[in-house]
Amino acid sequence: MNFNPNSSFLYLVAAFVILFILVQSLFFLIRAYRRGKEIGMDAKKLRKTITSSAIFTIAPAISILLGVLTLSKFLGLPLPWIRLSVIGAITYELPAATSTASALGVSLSETITSPTVYSAIAWVMTLGILPSTILVPILLKRIQGGLVSIKSKDSKWGELLITAMFLGMISAFMGMVFSNIRKGLPGWIPIFVMLFSAVLMAVCGLFIRVLKVKWLQDYALPICMIGAMVFAIIITPAIL
Amino acid sequence: MINKSYDEKTHYYGKLWIWTAAIVFVFVPISICVYYNAWPPFTSVLKGLLGVAPIFWTVGAIEVITFTPMLGTGGSYLAFVTGNLTNLKVPCAINAMEINNVKPDTEEGEVVSTIAVATSSIVTTLIIAIGTLLLGTLTPILNSPVLKPAFDNILPALFGALGVVYISKNLKLAVTPMLFMVVLFVTVPSLAGSVGILVPVGAVISILMARLLYKKNII
C-alpha cells in the first residue's frame, strides 16, 4: 500500500484522539466547576479562573504548535498533532523520532515514505512517554497519603514542602536561562527577557496592591509573558 | 482536608479516564500497523526506545512525584494525559491558585487547580487543532524570523514573571537552589538539554534547605 503520512486515515485517528482529550477535559472542568459552587465558592471567581487560565495558555500553546510544525516536516501533520495534543512535548518527541530513525538508518531530512519506519517512530513516541501516564493512577494515592501524614504531624512543614518543591522547579528553569552567558552578549538575551518579565510583574504587583487595579491580578502573568516576548523581538536584532 | 467522598470519586473517575487514555495512546501505533500492515521489527523499536526511554521514564516518574502534590487529584489525572506540564499546566494551576488565594491540597485548591488544568488543556487542544487546519496560512507567520526570538524566549518570559512572585515571597528558601542552578548551568551549559532531570535535583536541594531553615526557626 502507498504510504502518505498525511492520509485521511491518519487524520481520522488524530480527530478521534483529539476528541477524547476534549471530552475528558470538559468532564473534569464541569465536575470541578459544580463542586466549586457546591462548597460555596463564588461562581464569578470560578468563571474568572477559566478566563485567566485560557488567556495564559495562548502563548505557550502557540509555541507547542510550532513544535507540530517542526515535526510535520518529516512526519506529516497527523502524528505530531496527536503527540503534542497528548502527554508528548517537542523536547521528547524530536529525540524519540531521531533515535528511532538512526536505529533504522533513516535520515529525517525529508518526509518519511516507509510505513514501517513511521510506525516504529509512533511506537517509540508512545512507549517512551507512557510510564508517566500510568504511574499516576498507581502512585497518586500513595503520594497524597504521604503528604497527608506529613501535614497531620506538622501542617506548616507540609505547606513548606510543596512550596519548596515548586521553588526547586522554578530554580532549575531559571538556572537554565543562564546556560549561554559564556557565549557573550547574545547569550544574555534570555536573561534580559527574564528580568524584563520579572520587572513587568513587579510593576503589575504595584498596580494591584497600591493602586488597587484588581482586574489586573487575573491577567498579570500572560501580560508579563507576552510583554517579555515582544521585548525579545525588539532586543534580539539590536544585540545580534 | 478534602471531602472524602468527592475526592474518592475523583480518584475513581480519574483512574477510569487515565487507563482509557493509556489504551487510546497505544491504539494509535496499533491502528497504524494494522491499517498499513506495517509492523516494525521489534529490535528497531527497542533500539529507538533505548535512546530515549532511560531518560524519559526517569523524568516521567520524577514528574509524577514532584507535580501531583501541586496539581491535586483531578488536575493530576488530567495533566498527565494532556501533557506539557512544566511549560504550561503546572504554572497555570499554581498561578490560578495564587490569584484565588487558595492552597494546594484544600477543597478550594482542588477545584481551582482542576479548572485551570482543564481549561488550559481545552485551549491548547483547540489552538493546535485550529493551527493545524490553517497551516497553509499560518506557517509563514509562525516561521517568520521576526517572531522567532519571541518563541525562543518563551521559558525565560514565563519563569521571570512567575519566579519573581515566588522568590520574593520565599526569599530565604529560594536563595540556595537558585544559586546552585545558576552556577551549575554557567559551569556546564550542555545540561540545558536535560533540565527535566534537574527539576528534582532543585526540588531536593530546596526541600533540604527548607527543612534546615525550618528547624532553626528561620522561616
Side-chain angles (χ1 to χ4, degrees):
Chain A
M1 190 182 292
N2 272 341
F3 180 71
N4 170 13
N6 286 311
S7 73
S8 20
F9 168 75
L10 290 170
Y11 271 106
L12 210 67
V13 175
F16 171 73
V17 176
I18 272 73
L19 204 66
F20 175 85
I21 296 292
L22 283 177
V23 174
Q24 184 188 4
S25 308
L26 269 177
F27 173 85
F28 278 98
L29 177 61
I30 294 168
R31 206 167 161 270
Y33 186 83
R34 281 191 187 149
R35 176 68 185 165
K37 282 192 7 192
E38 217 174 272
I39 58 171
M41 292 175 80
D42 185 0
K44 223 164 120 189
K45 269 191 160 180
L46 296 176
R47 281 198 294 273
K48 261 194 182 169
T49 306
I50 297 180
T51 331
S52 62
S53 304
I55 291 179
F56 165 70
T57 303
I58 295 172
I62 293 177
S63 116
I64 297 168
L65 179 63
L66 285 174
V68 177
L69 281 185
T70 312
L71 293 171
S72 71
K73 281 164 199 153
F74 50 89
L75 287 173
L77 267 176
L79 188 61
W81 184 12
I82 295 171
R83 295 302 315 163
L84 295 192
S85 295
V86 300
I87 184 86
I90 183 75
T91 43
Y92 163 70
E93 309 294 345
L94 197 56
T98 319
S99 164
T100 321
S102 71
L104 287 163
V106 180
S107 152
L108 286 183
S109 53
E110 50 194 43
T111 308
I112 285 171
T113 48
S114 151
T116 320
V117 173
Y118 186 85
S119 67
I121 290 177
W123 272 114
V124 173
M125 285 177 160
T126 307
L127 296 178
I129 209 83
L130 208 56
S132 50
T133 301
I134 55 178
L135 275 178
V136 173
I138 297 169
L139 291 182
L140 184 56
K141 269 199 166 176
R142 281 174 221 182
I143 295 169
Q144 288 181 332
L147 269 183
V148 167
S149 79
I150 291 171
K151 274 198 164 179
S152 62
K153 279 182 210 144
D154 185 347
S155 69
K156 194 185 171 204
W157 169 242
E159 270 176 31
L160 269 176
L161 188 71
I162 298 181
T163 309
M165 275 183 167
F166 188 62
L167 281 173
M169 171 184 141
I170 290 188
S171 53
F173 278 93
M174 291 181 89
M176 185 183 72
V177 172
F178 288 81
S179 59
N180 284 326
I181 57 170
R182 287 196 294 179
K183 286 183 184 161
L185 202 53
W188 283 82
I189 294 174
I191 297 165
F192 295 148
V193 174
M194 183 167 78
L195 288 176
F196 187 80
S197 170
V199 170
L200 270 187
M201 189 50 122
V203 173
C204 285
L206 277 181
F207 271 92
I208 296 164
R209 276 188 204 95
V210 182
L211 301 171
K212 307 283 172 209
V213 189
K214 284 290 170 203
W215 65 266
L216 190 60
Q217 190 170 20
D218 292 327
Y219 305 104
L221 188 56
I223 289 174
C224 297
M225 211 176 148
I226 292 168
M229 286 165 77
V230 172
F231 179 71
I233 294 178
I234 298 167
I235 61 160
T236 305
I239 288 176
L240 290 180
Chain B
M1 229 6 60
I2 291 170
N3 178 303
K4 204 71 183 163
S5 70
Y6 174 80
D7 197 49
E8 281 298 319
K9 276 188 197 161
T10 310
H11 275 288
Y12 172 77
Y13 289 127
K15 280 181 184 165
L16 204 64
W17 275 106
I18 211 162
W19 284 118
T20 316
I23 295 168
V24 170
F25 292 175
V26 177
F27 151 84
V28 173
I30 292 182
S31 69
I32 292 168
C33 291
V34 171
Y35 186 81
Y36 291 104
N37 190 21
W39 292 89
F42 177 71
T43 48
S44 61
V45 174
L46 194 70
K47 269 191 202 163
L49 212 50
L50 271 178
V52 286
I55 291 175
F56 287 101
W57 286 0
T58 317
V59 171
I62 290 163
E63 281 192 343
V64 173
I65 296 165
T66 320
F67 296 145
T68 48
M70 301 172 200
L71 292 168
T73 312
S76 296
Y77 281 116
L78 189 56
F80 280 90
V81 168
T82 59
N84 284 295
L85 291 140
T86 42
N87 57 344
L88 185 50
K89 305 293 156 55
V90 174
C92 186
I94 296 277
N95 184 47
M97 286 190 272
E98 179 74 26
I99 293 170
N100 282 288
N101 208 10
V102 295
K103 294 210 173 310
D105 206 30
T106 58
E107 281 192 328
E108 289 83 3
E110 169 72 28
V111 166
V112 169
S113 164
T114 309
I115 290 181
V117 173
T119 309
S120 183
S121 303
I122 294 170
V123 173
T124 310
T125 313
L126 290 179
I127 287 181
I128 299 177
I130 295 167
T132 308
L133 298 175
L134 295 178
L135 207 62
T137 332
L138 285 179
T139 309
I141 303 171
L142 289 175
N143 277 339
S144 80
V146 179
L147 283 184
K148 195 175 176 290
F151 291 106
D152 282 347
N153 286 290
I154 194 158
L155 285 179
L158 168 61
F159 282 96
L162 205 60
V164 75
V165 174
Y166 279 86
I167 292 173
S168 61
K169 270 190 182 171
N170 309 284
L171 204 56
K172 290 174 192 158
L173 207 59
V175 170
T176 317
M178 274 300 304
L179 274 180
F180 176 86
M181 286 298 166
V182 170
V183 170
L184 184 70
F185 278 106
V186 171
T187 330
V188 196
S190 58
L191 283 174
S194 358
V195 68
I197 299 271
L198 289 166
V199 169
V201 176
V204 168
I205 293 172
S206 177
I207 290 169
L208 288 177
M209 213 48 216
R211 189 72 197 166
L212 191 74
L213 296 174
Y214 182 59
K215 281 281 165 199
K216 294 199 165 175
N217 283 325
I218 299 174
I219 45 171

